[in-house]
Amino acid sequence: MGAFILPLVILYFLIDRKKAFHLGFYGFNVHVWFHYIDTAGVYNGLWTYPYQINTIIPVSFSLDASLIPVSFMLLYQWTINHHKNYYVYATALCLFFAFIFKPLLTGIGFFQLYEWATYGHLFVFYLAVILLSKWITNLFLYFEKQH
């Protein structure tokens, strides 16, 4: 439950309110794409989450709806505000989630990989999420400027 509530509380205090819609749109993209990939992985027997907040959705609601989107939102905000390369830092966060965080969850029994899936595959999935989310956000920012 803490992995769901705590990131949202942190986001409430740290989000740049002048860019809240922009950051929220990006975060929603991260949430949606991550949830789709996570759900596909669970349904196809590649991984599972033995313990969940929500018994209706077979994925980790805390990760899909809070921890992952908020982490990437705050990183995205930081790269914008400090004129840093989003792709470099987002890739680093993907590496952290795929090769440190997920193995940690595996070690404590909150995540299990099955079949042919590896942490390398998870890294590629994370990269796909951050790229799609950024490109879609950029597209909508472009549309906004054209009007």
Side-chain angles (χ1 to χ4, degrees), residues 138-147:
N138 286 351
L139 179 64
F140 276 78
L141 288 171
Y142 173 78
F143 290 158
E144 185 178 57
K145 289 178 184 175
Q146 295 303 309
H147 183 31

Side-chain angles (χ1 to χ4, degrees), residues 16-37:
D16 183 342
R17 300 215 188 305
K18 294 176 189 168
K19 298 176 182 136
F21 189 77
H22 173 179
L23 296 167
F25 183 81
Y26 167 81
F28 185 70
N29 264 281
V30 171
H31 158 68
V32 168
W33 292 115
F34 186 75
H35 180 73
Y36 287 162
I37 289 173

Side-chain angles (χ1 to χ4, degrees), residues 56-77:
I56 298 169
I57 303 170
V59 295
S60 175
F61 190 71
S62 296
L63 294 180
D64 289 7
S66 183
L67 184 65
I68 301 296
V70 168
S71 297
F72 281 102
M73 284 172 71
L74 291 175
L75 176 104
Y76 182 46
Q77 173 179 289

